[in-house]
Amino acid sequence: MNAPVPNAATAHRPIQQLPDQLISQIAAGEVVERPSAVVKELLENALDAGATQITVRLEEGGVKRIAITDNGRGIEPEQLPLALARHATSKIASLHDLEHVGTLGFRGEALASIASVAAVRITSRTPNAAHAWEIVGSHEGTVAPSSGAFGTTIDVQDLYFNTPARRKFLKSEQTEYGHCAEIVRRIALSRPDVSFSLTHNGRTIDHWNVSEAAKRSAHILGNDFADARLALDEAAGPLRLHGYVGLPTASKARADGQFFYVNGRFVRDKLLVHAVRAAYQDVLHGDRFPCYVLSLDLDPALVDVNVHPSKIEVRFRDSRAVHQFVFHAVQRTLAQTSATAHGSAPAPITAAEVKPSGTPVWAPRPHEQTSFGAQLAPSFSPSPFAPGSRWDDARPAPSTGGVAQRLESYGALFAAGEPAKATAPVGVPLSSGERPLSNEDFPLGFALAQLHGIYILAQNTRGLVLVDMHAAHERILYEQIKNALDARVEGEELQVQQLLIPVTFYADAVEVATAQDHGETLKTLGFDIAALSPTTLAVRTVPVLLKNADAQTLARDVLRDVREYGGSRVLIERRNELLGTLACHTAVRANRILSVQEMNALLRQMEITERSDQCNHGRPTWVQLEISALDKLFLRGQ
């Protein structure tokens, strides 16, 4: 395409200093792209001022008016003009302050940029002032006495009134309001210690009182998230990660349930997103997105928040350490998703969720938290369902798919809702013949029968348990094989496969530089990738476990991860894919008739296997149906 021809009127203009108003309007193009950006900047200022109560009032999606009132410490009247001046701030005064910034705002350009494209009025009153003061327009405006409570109100009206071309790019009122409401939700989610109120066109939309993080997240994200989350709080050195991660079975088709904060600031950082995604890859289907609300706290000196105009991205001094910390913290939390890791089973399908004419819908829910590590993964051993095992000889003929024991022997275990002393059913590994049995001992209960060769029906203290036997066994085998492999290679050098003929491929300058700069890291991962020319790379060795994978694709993925995250999850991810396939093909298949002993053995293994609440693809392996739900299905007591 031909380059545009310069306009004759501007082709020979001399270099000149731009006027302040135009400078501010140019800056506003980066800071104030739509009304929601104004809401974000003003809310951050309110929080930096120590506010505990914030009210947001919007009209016509924020285009006509955005008024935010807080009860913070206020602004002295002599400083009101500076509040509207460009690059004037009370939050930093030196490079040292910039490198250790602990506030949400710090550049001192937001109010000046907003005032250049809208009509702005600031009313503020400090605790020791007899009355409020206000300034209108810009830093050149006059400060005058006013009325108002302690704190600050910033009233922004007629956004882009003086730049109509910018206003044409705005969307509908409802769309712009939706963006503003999302900003308020994000910030309110990170500060449960502050009350927020949101009104639109004179109608109150949301109000959140001061509360705990658990209640605030449930209030904003809804009961679906509150009923399907695991608490997380881990620290390592200067890093602390806390918040909630959603269960894999509560994933979504879109990534709109992901909230990550760094030192209280909402960010969209690809390193953090990748770390969390990698932690879920063992339990989540590839096209699903997990839900989470996570906060990372660290020394401000270890993170640069001044890398994006809207401060939505950050840069870590040690990105690899942060990535690994977040990955392992989330992975350890998700490993708790087993029937016994929390002391109780997932919340059952209750009577309120059941319609006699419909199918009950199960949603996994959180468990009471206990110390992590109480249950250890089993050491690797042949599956009791593997061909040639002792269970293989004991399985009944297909025509005997009934219950091998009298139902009374199961019912006696839970007489009157209390555990009773009874002889353990066949297949339950107990050290003594008799002992009190309770839901804590065997939360999945004991097998009753099989349904269509696919599901195991079991009874526990709460009612009926349905188990997808293939999905459950697949998870058990996968965890056993993975743990055995990890134990075998721990402390050993990674075995590599020397390629008889190196695989060469075209590479861009960034890939070649990565291979040269990170050669040692690549070798620790099992790869020898050499540069043959400025545009050609050759793969000479790959990990033995992945010797049959496409070497070029694998090398490109590893180079990308090493460049972006300082390390690579590709090796582990590809390895786990292979192990998952192996477990899937080895697991007991549908229509395989199991004896009661085999079914009970499967239930016991599920109770001690990490992540056994879902299969390798994120589907639930078992559900609970309460007695009250069954009663409702059959209209008992009605």
Short mmCIF file of all heavy atoms in Angstrom, two decimals, residues 55-111:
data_model
loop_
_atom_site.label_atom_id
_atom_site.label_comp_id
_atom_site.label_asym_id
_atom_site.label_seq_id
_atom_site.Cartn_x
_atom_site.Cartn_y
_atom_site.Cartn_z
N THR A 55 -19.95 6.19 47.63
CA THR A 55 -21.20 6.18 46.87
C THR A 55 -20.90 6.57 45.42
O THR A 55 -20.25 7.58 45.17
CB THR A 55 -22.23 7.15 47.45
OG1 THR A 55 -22.52 6.76 48.80
CG2 THR A 55 -23.51 7.14 46.64
N VAL A 56 -21.37 5.77 44.49
CA VAL A 56 -21.19 6.03 43.06
C VAL A 56 -22.55 6.31 42.44
O VAL A 56 -23.45 5.47 42.50
CB VAL A 56 -20.52 4.83 42.35
CG1 VAL A 56 -20.31 5.14 40.87
CG2 VAL A 56 -19.20 4.48 43.02
N ARG A 57 -22.69 7.50 41.84
CA ARG A 57 -23.94 7.87 41.17
C ARG A 57 -23.67 8.10 39.69
O ARG A 57 -22.79 8.89 39.33
CB ARG A 57 -24.53 9.13 41.81
CG ARG A 57 -25.10 8.92 43.21
CD ARG A 57 -25.46 10.23 43.88
NE ARG A 57 -24.25 10.98 44.21
CZ ARG A 57 -24.26 12.24 44.64
NH1 ARG A 57 -25.39 12.90 44.73
NH2 ARG A 57 -23.11 12.84 44.94
N LEU A 58 -24.44 7.42 38.86
CA LEU A 58 -24.27 7.50 37.41
C LEU A 58 -25.57 7.96 36.76
O LEU A 58 -26.66 7.63 37.24
CB LEU A 58 -23.87 6.14 36.84
CG LEU A 58 -22.64 5.45 37.43
CD1 LEU A 58 -22.49 4.06 36.83
CD2 LEU A 58 -21.38 6.27 37.17
N GLU A 59 -25.41 8.70 35.67
CA GLU A 59 -26.56 9.07 34.84
C GLU A 59 -26.22 8.82 33.38
O GLU A 59 -25.11 9.15 32.93
CB GLU A 59 -26.94 10.55 35.05
CG GLU A 59 -27.48 10.86 36.45
CD GLU A 59 -27.89 12.31 36.60
OE1 GLU A 59 -28.08 12.98 35.55
OE2 GLU A 59 -28.01 12.77 37.75
N GLU A 60 -27.15 8.18 32.69
CA GLU A 60 -26.99 7.84 31.28
C GLU A 60 -25.68 7.09 31.02
O GLU A 60 -24.90 7.41 30.15
CB GLU A 60 -27.07 9.10 30.42
CG GLU A 60 -28.42 9.78 30.47
CD GLU A 60 -28.51 10.99 29.57
OE1 GLU A 60 -27.57 11.21 28.77
OE2 GLU A 60 -29.53 11.71 29.65
N GLY A 61 -25.48 6.05 31.82
CA GLY A 61 -24.30 5.20 31.65
C GLY A 61 -23.00 5.87 32.03
O GLY A 61 -21.93 5.35 31.72
N GLY A 62 -23.07 7.01 32.73
CA GLY A 62 -21.86 7.73 33.11
C GLY A 62 -21.46 8.82 32.15
O GLY A 62 -20.57 9.61 32.44
N VAL A 63 -22.11 8.88 30.99
CA VAL A 63 -21.77 9.89 29.99
C VAL A 63 -22.27 11.26 30.45
O VAL A 63 -21.56 12.27 30.35
CB VAL A 63 -22.36 9.53 28.61
CG1 VAL A 63 -22.06 10.63 27.60
CG2 VAL A 63 -21.83 8.19 28.13
N LYS A 64 -23.49 11.31 30.96
CA LYS A 64 -24.04 12.58 31.42
C LYS A 64 -23.45 12.98 32.77
O LYS A 64 -23.12 14.17 32.99
CB LYS A 64 -25.56 12.50 31.53
CG LYS A 64 -26.20 13.81 31.96
CD LYS A 64 -27.72 13.70 32.01
CE LYS A 64 -28.34 15.02 32.44
NZ LYS A 64 -29.82 14.92 32.52
N ARG A 65 -23.30 11.99 33.68
CA ARG A 65 -22.80 12.34 35.00
C ARG A 65 -22.18 11.15 35.71
O ARG A 65 -22.70 10.03 35.64
CB ARG A 65 -23.93 12.90 35.87
CG ARG A 65 -23.45 13.48 37.20
CD ARG A 65 -24.62 13.91 38.06
NE ARG A 65 -24.16 14.61 39.25
CZ ARG A 65 -24.92 14.84 40.33
NH1 ARG A 65 -26.17 14.41 40.35
NH2 ARG A 65 -24.43 15.50 41.36
N ILE A 66 -21.06 11.41 36.39
CA ILE A 66 -20.42 10.46 37.30
C ILE A 66 -20.09 11.24 38.56
O ILE A 66 -19.28 12.17 38.53
CB ILE A 66 -19.13 9.86 36.72
CG1 ILE A 66 -19.41 9.10 35.43
CG2 ILE A 66 -18.46 8.94 37.74
CD1 ILE A 66 -18.14 8.68 34.68
N ALA A 67 -20.74 10.91 39.65
CA ALA A 67 -20.48 11.58 40.93
C ALA A 67 -20.09 10.54 41.96
O ALA A 67 -20.86 9.61 42.23
CB ALA A 67 -21.71 12.36 41.39
N ILE A 68 -18.90 10.70 42.54
CA ILE A 68 -18.41 9.73 43.53
C ILE A 68 -18.11 10.48 44.82
O ILE A 68 -17.33 11.44 44.84
CB ILE A 68 -17.16 9.01 43.00
CG1 ILE A 68 -17.55 8.15 41.78
CG2 ILE A 68 -16.53 8.15 44.09
CD1 ILE A 68 -16.43 7.31 41.23
N THR A 69 -18.75 10.03 45.89
CA THR A 69 -18.61 10.65 47.21
C THR A 69 -17.96 9.66 48.16
O THR A 69 -18.34 8.49 48.20
CB THR A 69 -19.99 11.06 47.75
OG1 THR A 69 -20.61 11.97 46.85
CG2 THR A 69 -19.87 11.70 49.12
N ASP A 70 -16.98 10.14 48.92
CA ASP A 70 -16.31 9.28 49.90
C ASP A 70 -16.22 10.01 51.24
O ASP A 70 -16.41 11.22 51.32
CB ASP A 70 -14.93 8.87 49.41
CG ASP A 70 -13.95 10.04 49.33
OD1 ASP A 70 -13.60 10.61 50.37
OD2 ASP A 70 -13.53 10.38 48.19
N ASN A 71 -15.90 9.26 52.28
CA ASN A 71 -15.71 9.83 53.62
C ASN A 71 -14.24 9.82 54.02
O ASN A 71 -13.91 9.67 55.20
CB ASN A 71 -16.56 9.08 54.64
CG ASN A 71 -16.07 7.65 54.86
OD1 ASN A 71 -15.36 7.09 54.01
ND2 ASN A 71 -16.45 7.04 55.97
N GLY A 72 -13.36 9.98 53.02
CA GLY A 72 -11.93 9.99 53.30
C GLY A 72 -11.46 11.26 53.98
O GLY A 72 -12.26 12.06 54.47
N ARG A 73 -10.15 11.44 54.00
CA ARG A 73 -9.58 12.54 54.77
C ARG A 73 -9.75 13.91 54.11
O ARG A 73 -9.46 14.93 54.72
CB ARG A 73 -8.10 12.29 55.05
CG ARG A 73 -7.27 11.95 53.84
CD ARG A 73 -5.81 11.70 54.24
NE ARG A 73 -5.08 11.07 53.17
CZ ARG A 73 -4.93 9.77 53.04
NH1 ARG A 73 -5.51 8.95 53.91
NH2 ARG A 73 -4.24 9.26 52.04
N GLY A 74 -10.19 13.95 52.86
CA GLY A 74 -10.46 15.22 52.21
C GLY A 74 -9.21 15.92 51.70
O GLY A 74 -8.09 15.45 51.88
N ILE A 75 -9.44 17.08 51.06
CA ILE A 75 -8.35 17.86 50.47
C ILE A 75 -8.38 19.27 51.05
O ILE A 75 -9.45 19.89 51.12
CB ILE A 75 -8.51 17.93 48.93
CG1 ILE A 75 -8.61 16.52 48.33
CG2 ILE A 75 -7.32 18.68 48.31
CD1 ILE A 75 -8.95 16.52 46.85
N GLU A 76 -7.24 19.75 51.50
CA GLU A 76 -7.17 21.11 52.03
C GLU A 76 -7.54 22.11 50.93
O GLU A 76 -7.21 21.90 49.76
CB GLU A 76 -5.75 21.40 52.53
CG GLU A 76 -5.29 20.51 53.68
CD GLU A 76 -5.99 20.84 55.00
OE1 GLU A 76 -6.65 21.91 55.05
OE2 GLU A 76 -5.89 20.04 55.95
N PRO A 77 -8.22 23.22 51.27
CA PRO A 77 -8.67 24.16 50.24
C PRO A 77 -7.54 24.73 49.39
O PRO A 77 -7.71 24.91 48.18
CB PRO A 77 -9.38 25.25 51.05
CG PRO A 77 -8.94 25.06 52.47
CD PRO A 77 -8.66 23.62 52.62
N GLU A 78 -6.38 24.98 49.99
CA GLU A 78 -5.28 25.52 49.21
C GLU A 78 -4.67 24.52 48.24
O GLU A 78 -3.92 24.87 47.33
CB GLU A 78 -4.18 26.07 50.14
CG GLU A 78 -3.49 25.03 51.01
CD GLU A 78 -4.21 24.78 52.33
OE1 GLU A 78 -5.37 25.23 52.47
OE2 GLU A 78 -3.61 24.14 53.21
N GLN A 79 -5.00 23.23 48.41
CA GLN A 79 -4.47 22.20 47.53
C GLN A 79 -5.46 21.77 46.44
O GLN A 79 -5.12 20.97 45.57
CB GLN A 79 -4.05 20.96 48.34
CG GLN A 79 -2.84 21.21 49.23
CD GLN A 79 -2.25 19.91 49.76
OE1 GLN A 79 -2.97 18.96 50.03
NE2 GLN A 79 -0.93 19.88 49.88
N LEU A 80 -6.67 22.29 46.49
CA LEU A 80 -7.67 21.92 45.49
C LEU A 80 -7.23 22.25 44.06
O LEU A 80 -7.41 21.43 43.15
CB LEU A 80 -9.00 22.59 45.81
CG LEU A 80 -9.81 21.94 46.94
CD1 LEU A 80 -11.05 22.77 47.26
CD2 LEU A 80 -10.23 20.52 46.56
N PRO A 81 -6.62 23.44 43.80
CA PRO A 81 -6.14 23.68 42.43
C PRO A 81 -5.09 22.68 41.99
O PRO A 81 -5.08 22.25 40.82
CB PRO A 81 -5.57 25.10 42.51
CG PRO A 81 -6.28 25.73 43.66
CD PRO A 81 -6.48 24.62 44.65
N LEU A 82 -4.21 22.28 42.91
CA LEU A 82 -3.18 21.29 42.54
C LEU A 82 -3.79 19.94 42.20
O LEU A 82 -3.23 19.18 41.41
CB LEU A 82 -2.17 21.14 43.68
CG LEU A 82 -1.13 22.25 43.83
CD1 LEU A 82 -0.31 22.03 45.09
CD2 LEU A 82 -0.23 22.28 42.61
N ALA A 83 -4.93 19.62 42.82
CA ALA A 83 -5.57 18.34 42.53
C ALA A 83 -5.96 18.23 41.07
O ALA A 83 -6.01 17.12 40.51
CB ALA A 83 -6.80 18.16 43.42
N LEU A 84 -6.23 19.38 40.42
CA LEU A 84 -6.62 19.39 39.02
C LEU A 84 -5.46 19.73 38.09
O LEU A 84 -5.65 19.81 36.88
CB LEU A 84 -7.76 20.39 38.80
CG LEU A 84 -9.11 19.99 39.40
CD1 LEU A 84 -10.10 21.15 39.31
CD2 LEU A 84 -9.67 18.76 38.69
N ALA A 85 -4.28 19.96 38.65
CA ALA A 85 -3.12 20.28 37.82
C ALA A 85 -2.46 19.00 37.33
O ALA A 85 -2.53 17.95 37.97
CB ALA A 85 -2.12 21.12 38.62
N ARG A 86 -1.81 19.06 36.17
CA ARG A 86 -1.15 17.89 35.59
C ARG A 86 0.08 17.51 36.39
O ARG A 86 0.88 18.36 36.78
CB ARG A 86 -0.75 18.16 34.13
CG ARG A 86 -1.94 18.38 33.21
CD ARG A 86 -1.50 18.50 31.75
NE ARG A 86 -0.91 17.25 31.28
CZ ARG A 86 0.36 17.13 30.91
NH1 ARG A 86 1.17 18.15 30.98
NH2 ARG A 86 0.81 15.97 30.48
N HIS A 87 0.21 16.22 36.62
CA HIS A 87 1.38 15.64 37.29
C HIS A 87 1.63 16.29 38.65
O HIS A 87 2.78 16.56 39.02
CB HIS A 87 2.62 15.76 36.41
CG HIS A 87 2.45 15.12 35.07
ND1 HIS A 87 2.06 13.81 34.91
CD2 HIS A 87 2.60 15.62 33.82
CE1 HIS A 87 1.98 13.52 33.61
NE2 HIS A 87 2.30 14.60 32.93
N ALA A 88 0.54 16.50 39.39
CA ALA A 88 0.65 16.96 40.77
C ALA A 88 0.04 15.88 41.65
O ALA A 88 -1.11 15.47 41.44
CB ALA A 88 -0.09 18.28 40.94
N THR A 89 0.78 15.39 42.62
CA THR A 89 0.31 14.28 43.45
C THR A 89 0.94 14.34 44.82
O THR A 89 2.04 14.88 44.99
CB THR A 89 0.64 12.92 42.78
OG1 THR A 89 0.18 11.86 43.64
CG2 THR A 89 2.12 12.77 42.54
N SER A 90 0.26 13.77 45.79
CA SER A 90 0.78 13.68 47.15
C SER A 90 1.35 12.29 47.43
O SER A 90 1.80 12.03 48.55
CB SER A 90 -0.35 13.97 48.15
OG SER A 90 -1.38 12.99 48.02
N LYS A 91 1.37 11.42 46.42
CA LYS A 91 1.67 10.01 46.67
C LYS A 91 3.12 9.63 46.38
O LYS A 91 3.60 8.62 46.88
CB LYS A 91 0.71 9.14 45.86
CG LYS A 91 -0.75 9.40 46.25
CD LYS A 91 -1.74 8.79 45.29
CE LYS A 91 -3.16 9.22 45.67
NZ LYS A 91 -4.18 8.72 44.74
N ILE A 92 3.79 10.38 45.54
CA ILE A 92 5.21 10.13 45.29
C ILE A 92 5.93 11.46 45.19
O ILE A 92 5.35 12.47 44.79
CB ILE A 92 5.45 9.31 44.00
CG1 ILE A 92 4.92 10.05 42.78
CG2 ILE A 92 4.83 7.92 44.11
CD1 ILE A 92 5.30 9.41 41.46
N ALA A 93 7.21 11.45 45.56
CA ALA A 93 8.01 12.67 45.46
C ALA A 93 9.40 12.41 44.91
O ALA A 93 10.16 13.34 44.67
CB ALA A 93 8.12 13.34 46.84
N SER A 94 9.74 11.11 44.71
CA SER A 94 11.07 10.76 44.23
C SER A 94 11.01 9.44 43.51
O SER A 94 9.99 8.73 43.53
CB SER A 94 12.05 10.66 45.41
OG SER A 94 11.69 9.58 46.27
N LEU A 95 12.14 9.07 42.87
CA LEU A 95 12.23 7.78 42.18
C LEU A 95 12.07 6.64 43.18
O LEU A 95 11.46 5.61 42.86
CB LEU A 95 13.56 7.67 41.45
CG LEU A 95 13.81 6.35 40.70
CD1 LEU A 95 12.74 6.12 39.64
CD2 LEU A 95 15.21 6.34 40.09
N HIS A 96 12.58 6.82 44.37
CA HIS A 96 12.45 5.78 45.39
C HIS A 96 10.97 5.53 45.71
O HIS A 96 10.53 4.38 45.84
CB HIS A 96 13.19 6.19 46.67
CG HIS A 96 13.06 5.20 47.79
ND1 HIS A 96 12.01 5.24 48.70
CD2 HIS A 96 13.83 4.12 48.13
CE1 HIS A 96 12.15 4.25 49.57
NE2 HIS A 96 13.24 3.56 49.24
N ASP A 97 10.19 6.62 45.82
CA ASP A 97 8.76 6.46 46.07
C ASP A 97 8.07 5.73 44.91
O ASP A 97 7.17 4.91 45.13
CB ASP A 97 8.10 7.84 46.26
CG ASP A 97 8.57 8.54 47.53
OD1 ASP A 97 9.08 7.84 48.43
OD2 ASP A 97 8.44 9.77 47.60
N LEU A 98 8.48 6.04 43.69
CA LEU A 98 7.89 5.40 42.52
C LEU A 98 8.18 3.91 42.50
O LEU A 98 7.34 3.09 42.12
CB LEU A 98 8.40 6.06 41.24
CG LEU A 98 7.87 5.51 39.92
CD1 LEU A 98 6.36 5.69 39.84
CD2 LEU A 98 8.54 6.17 38.74
N GLU A 99 9.38 3.53 42.93
CA GLU A 99 9.76 2.12 42.92
C GLU A 99 9.15 1.35 44.09
O GLU A 99 9.17 0.12 44.10
CB GLU A 99 11.28 2.00 42.97
CG GLU A 99 11.97 2.50 41.70
CD GLU A 99 13.48 2.47 41.81
OE1 GLU A 99 13.99 2.37 42.95
OE2 GLU A 99 14.14 2.54 40.76
N HIS A 100 8.61 2.06 45.07
CA HIS A 100 7.99 1.42 46.23
C HIS A 100 6.55 1.88 46.41
O HIS A 100 6.03 1.92 47.52
CB HIS A 100 8.79 1.73 47.51
CG HIS A 100 10.18 1.18 47.50
ND1 HIS A 100 11.20 1.79 46.81
CD2 HIS A 100 10.72 0.08 48.11
CE1 HIS A 100 12.31 1.08 46.98
NE2 HIS A 100 12.05 0.05 47.76
N VAL A 101 5.89 2.23 45.32
CA VAL A 101 4.54 2.79 45.41
C VAL A 101 3.57 1.78 46.01
O VAL A 101 3.53 0.62 45.61
CB VAL A 101 4.06 3.27 44.03
CG1 VAL A 101 3.93 2.12 43.04
CG2 VAL A 101 2.75 4.02 44.15
N GLY A 102 2.83 2.23 47.02
CA GLY A 102 1.88 1.35 47.69
C GLY A 102 0.45 1.81 47.55
O GLY A 102 -0.45 1.24 48.17
N THR A 103 0.22 2.84 46.75
CA THR A 103 -1.13 3.35 46.52
C THR A 103 -1.64 2.91 45.16
O THR A 103 -0.86 2.50 44.29
CB THR A 103 -1.14 4.89 46.59
OG1 THR A 103 -0.15 5.41 45.71
CG2 THR A 103 -0.86 5.36 48.01
N LEU A 104 -2.95 3.01 44.95
CA LEU A 104 -3.53 2.62 43.67
C LEU A 104 -3.25 3.66 42.59
O LEU A 104 -3.03 3.33 41.44
CB LEU A 104 -5.04 2.42 43.84
CG LEU A 104 -5.45 1.29 44.80
CD1 LEU A 104 -6.96 1.27 44.98
CD2 LEU A 104 -4.95 -0.06 44.31
N GLY A 105 -3.30 4.92 42.95
CA GLY A 105 -2.96 5.99 42.02
C GLY A 105 -1.66 6.64 42.45
O GLY A 105 -1.29 6.60 43.62
N PHE A 106 -0.96 7.24 41.48
CA PHE A 106 0.32 7.87 41.85
C PHE A 106 0.83 8.84 40.79
O PHE A 106 1.73 9.62 41.05
CB PHE A 106 1.39 6.80 42.10
CG PHE A 106 1.59 5.85 40.96
CD1 PHE A 106 2.46 6.13 39.92
CD2 PHE A 106 0.89 4.66 40.92
CE1 PHE A 106 2.64 5.25 38.87
CE2 PHE A 106 1.05 3.77 39.87
CZ PHE A 106 1.93 4.07 38.84
N ARG A 107 0.26 8.83 39.59
CA ARG A 107 0.85 9.64 38.52
C ARG A 107 0.42 11.10 38.58
O ARG A 107 1.08 11.96 38.00
CB ARG A 107 0.47 9.06 37.16
CG ARG A 107 1.09 7.70 36.88
CD ARG A 107 0.72 7.22 35.50
NE ARG A 107 1.27 5.92 35.21
CZ ARG A 107 0.64 4.95 34.56
NH1 ARG A 107 -0.60 5.15 34.16
NH2 ARG A 107 1.21 3.80 34.32
N GLY A 108 -0.71 11.39 39.18
CA GLY A 108 -1.17 12.76 39.27
C GLY A 108 -1.67 13.34 37.96
O GLY A 108 -1.60 14.55 37.76
N GLU A 109 -2.19 12.48 37.09
CA GLU A 109 -2.67 12.97 35.80
C GLU A 109 -4.14 12.69 35.56
O GLU A 109 -4.75 13.24 34.64
CB GLU A 109 -1.87 12.31 34.67
CG GLU A 109 -1.99 10.79 34.64
CD GLU A 109 -1.17 10.16 33.53
OE1 GLU A 109 -0.85 10.87 32.58
OE2 GLU A 109 -0.89 8.96 33.63
N ALA A 110 -4.75 11.85 36.39
CA ALA A 110 -6.12 11.43 36.13
C ALA A 110 -7.10 12.59 36.18
O ALA A 110 -7.87 12.81 35.23
CB ALA A 110 -6.54 10.35 37.13
N LEU A 111 -7.11 13.36 37.27
CA LEU A 111 -8.08 14.45 37.40
C LEU A 111 -7.87 15.52 36.33
O LEU A 111 -8.83 16.07 35.78
CB LEU A 111 -8.00 15.05 38.80
CG LEU A 111 -8.61 14.21 39.92
CD1 LEU A 111 -8.39 14.89 41.27
CD2 LEU A 111 -10.08 13.96 39.68
#
